[in-house]
Amino acid sequence: MIFIAVKFTALDPDAWLTRLDAFTVATRNEPGNLFFDWSRSVENPSEFVLLEAFADAAAGEAHVNSDHFKAAIETMSELVAEVPEIINVEVEGTGWSRMAEVTPRNR
């Protein structure tokens, strides 16, 4: 799968997720999308991290060639305070695995 992590610093953090909602919904509905999840930093409320994965290179290519991706790039370019940081790697697997070290305790 193609795994991507992107760190964004938003000029207006209160508007970030709202302005990107249509992009989020459209990407999650792509046939090759495995997950597309936003997180907000607890230390810096202007920082958002996007974790996303696609089934394979073809799915990733379809994503970056989609109209909703192109529109989102324009929107994000208006909303960021600096150039985002990215990790983009191909890894084995088809999604999240379970963490072996942590399991729920009986209550």
Side-chain angles (χ1 to χ4, degrees):
M1 75 178 168
I2 307 299
F3 174 77
I4 303 164
V6 188
K7 190 184 300 185
F8 299 92
T9 303
L11 289 171
D12 182 358
D14 295 328
W16 183 263
L17 293 175
T18 301
R19 294 280 308 272
L20 295 170
D21 185 60
F23 172 55
T24 299
V25 171
T27 301
R28 287 177 177 163
N29 285 321
E30 291 176 20
N33 179 257
L34 301 175
F35 55 85
F36 192 89
D37 297 319
W38 290 101
S39 296
R40 190 172 189 175
S41 172
V42 296
E43 296 170 350
N44 177 357
S46 295
E47 185 179 282
F48 293 84
V49 174
L50 172 61
L51 298 180
E52 57 185 312
F54 298 90
D56 52 31
E61 184 177 340
H63 171 66
V64 299
N65 288 318
S66 69
D67 290 339
H68 57 268
F69 179 85
K70 293 172 186 171
I73 293 300
E74 291 298 318
T75 300
M76 286 186 271
S77 295
E78 296 170 4
L79 299 175
V80 294
E82 59 190 51
V83 175
E85 297 176 89
I86 188 169
I87 298 169
N88 184 332
V89 295
E90 189 169 342
V91 297
E92 290 186 27
T94 59
W96 292 97
S97 299
R98 295 288 181 175
M99 183 178 178
E101 295 82 4
V102 178
T103 57
R105 293 193 175 124
N106 293 331
R107 294 191 174 111

